[in-house]
Amino acid sequence: MGTIFHLDIVSAEESIYSGPVEFLVAPAQMGEVGIYPRHTPMLTRIKSGMVRIKAQLKEEELVYVSGGMLEVQPDVVTILADTAVRSHDLDEAKALEAKRAAEEAMKNRESELDYAKAQAELIEAMAQLAAIDKLRKRGH
Amino acid sequence: MAGSREIRNKIKSVKNTQKITRAMEMVAASKMRKAQERMKKARPYGEKIRNVAAHMSRANTEYRHPFLIARDTVKRIGVIIVTSDKGLCGGLNTNVLRKVVNQMKTWRAEGEQVEVCCIGNKGLGFMSRVGANITSQVVGLGDAPDITKLIGAVKVVLDGYTQDQFDRVYIFYNRFINTMKQEPVMEQLLPLTDERMQSSEQENSNKPKATWDYIYEPEAKPVIDDIMVRYVEALIYQAVAENMASEQSARMVAMKAASDNAGNVINELTLIYNKSRQAAITKELSEIVGGAAAV
């Protein structure tokens, strides 16, 4: 112990790397950072780029990440890789789009939430399903 | 023999329907496997980001994110409803929507305002039909949950929370239990509950609050903001992935039931067809015999 730490690189879609390593270099937002075991806790954004990993008794490995977050704990390092290109403006544009679509859909709606209608509709759907179920049971 | 041709046509049409439901069953089965795989693959990210969030909540951070601060008065509630885009999947969407409507009724009785964010066509269609207040929406997700498509709709809700438009945010979706069983669930998303801020590693969940703090690059606030937003997005992504796996399995089961039903109908109709054919033959024979006897 003390000469290695655990590294996890994960993205929302898969686990990219998981295992004990001796040393790693990651492209942090303020410049590259090299991390050895027992590093002080640190949180930072990382840019897209290569993460260099040196595991024990192994060649150095290069893993590409498209940006994300890096968390350093004395014996665990986690890289949360983004699957999408993120920027504040881009997110904002997407939010506006989603909002606009909803407003469009809201234009021709009734003023008040009609619970009676909602429930009637759901009860009807449930009754249909129940009827199908019953028919099925009878058939066998 | 007047009725027999009609029956034959009917059998043919039921057989055609059966072909379609069979095909859909098989398509759903193969999509289900992929959807389940995706759901499982998304888990490590959820776990890791949860651990990071847990570390952060134990650390003596200089900045507390609004997602972690519970509000005393709850006046407005944001609801994220995850449904499928397409139908023909049994009671899947109906079950989750029923849960939503019941819950909304209770909230309204308590004098709280509810606004919804719809992920998926079915929920959106229903909610706009019944006239709910829709703040954002995203439809047409396809077969793979794509975080880029979710970001926008989710951001509206998260921004709403930070800007005091919502005091609480819930998410409704179908939890995938197994191929035969999916369960509609309601979970509190914001403020993040203590349970959600606990690490999945059991051993250190009871440690006292540490005195250390992180080094932040460049600064505490933007970094913590980023982490929290990603955490909540990961939770939603997970919910969407589970709902998609649920959708495909529910569709497979529903289509299998439909194919079986079609088989039963065909059997019954064939029986009737044969009976009527035989009756016609008997009638003809007796007419011939009767005619011969008369001569």
Side-chain angles (χ1 to χ4, degrees), chain A residues 5-80:
Chain A
F5 57 94
H6 192 83
L7 170 69
D8 284 299
I9 305 180
V10 288
S11 79
E13 273 153 24
E14 60 185 331
S15 172
I16 299 167
Y17 189 96
S18 177
V21 297
E22 279 182 325
F23 172 64
L24 94 96
V25 177
Q29 202 186 20
M30 311 290 281
E32 291 221 315
V33 288
I35 291 155
Y36 280 104
R38 306 181 59 99
H39 193 284
T40 198
M42 178 170 86
L43 265 180
T44 180
R45 281 194 205 134
I46 52 174
K47 295 182 292 191
S48 64
M50 289 297 185
V51 178
R52 247 167 56 213
I53 304 161
K54 173 79 180 83
Q56 250 177 338
L57 308 172
K58 267 197 213 156
E59 290 281 300
E60 253 186 19
E61 246 181 278
L62 285 173
V63 174
Y64 174 78
V65 287
S66 56
M69 309 296 294
L70 168 75
E71 193 224 14
V72 182
Q73 288 280 330
D75 48 5
V76 186
V77 173
T78 313
I79 294 178
L80 303 161

Side-chain angles (χ1 to χ4, degrees), chain B residues 9-207:
Chain B
N9 283 341
K10 185 92 189 159
I11 291 175
K12 218 164 124 193
S13 103
V14 175
K15 268 187 181 157
N16 284 338
T17 312
Q18 194 187 28
K19 267 184 211 156
I20 296 169
T21 56
R22 272 259 160 75
M24 284 185 76
E25 180 193 332
M26 281 187 279
V27 170
S30 84
K31 279 187 180 171
M32 180 188 77
R33 267 193 294 276
K34 275 185 217 149
Q36 281 181 25
E37 225 163 79
R38 265 195 293 270
M39 182 180 79
K40 282 186 192 123
K41 272 187 176 166
R43 269 186 197 146
Y45 185 83
E47 243 166 63
K48 293 293 177 278
I49 198 159
R50 183 185 179 150
N51 288 349
V52 172
H55 291 155
M56 233 167 62
S57 76
R58 276 212 318 282
N60 188 19
T61 48
E62 53 188 78
Y63 160 71
R64 247 178 108 67
H65 196 272
F67 288 178
L68 299 173
I69 303 163
R71 314 236 166 107
D72 298 334
T73 52
V74 178
K75 279 272 130 234
R76 273 153 308 179
I77 294 175
V79 177
I80 299 176
I81 304 165
V82 186
T83 53
S84 68
D85 274 329
K86 289 173 188 151
L88 291 181
C89 48
L92 192 80
N93 293 322
T94 320
N95 285 338
V96 79
L97 289 173
R98 205 163 51 141
K99 206 175 171 76
V100 175
V101 168
N102 285 343
Q103 191 61 47
M104 277 165 88
K105 217 173 168 187
T106 336
W107 279 329
R108 195 171 71 154
E110 286 162 9
E112 286 147 14
Q113 280 180 344
V114 184
E115 286 189 28
V116 298
C117 158
C118 296
I119 301 177
N121 223 341
K122 287 284 153 186
L124 177 71
F126 177 78
M127 281 298 153
S128 58
R129 262 204 310 286
V130 300
N133 234 330
I134 302 166
T135 47
S136 65
Q137 64 175 74
V138 50
V139 295
L141 286 174
D143 291 331
D146 184 355
I147 199 117
T148 45
K149 282 187 186 152
L150 296 175
I151 289 169
V154 169
K155 191 174 158 58
V156 174
V157 179
L158 299 189
D159 285 352
Y161 184 80
T162 34
Q163 288 157 15
D164 284 350
Q165 261 173 33
F166 304 126
D167 300 315
R168 221 174 252 176
V169 177
Y170 291 89
I171 184 165
F172 289 82
Y173 65 99
N174 276 291
R175 176 176 290 154
F176 181 86
I177 296 170
N178 56 44
T179 310
M180 299 302 288
K181 196 167 163 33
Q182 299 87 33
E183 196 181 54
V185 287
M186 168 181 115
E187 284 176 1
Q188 182 176 327
L189 205 59
L190 296 176
L192 288 161
T193 50
D194 290 345
E195 187 204 341
R196 281 230 157 107
M197 294 305 285
Q198 247 159 45
S199 154
S200 58
E201 303 150 1
Q202 280 293 311
E203 346 108 44
N204 51 16
S205 59
N206 285 326
K207 267 192 201 164

Side-chain angles (χ1 to χ4, degrees), chain B residues 247-265:
Chain B
E247 177 195 348
Q248 296 302 345
S249 7
R251 178 164 302 131
M252 189 187 79
V253 171
M255 287 302 115
K256 185 167 169 30
S259 307
D260 291 352
N261 283 348
N264 287 343
V265 171

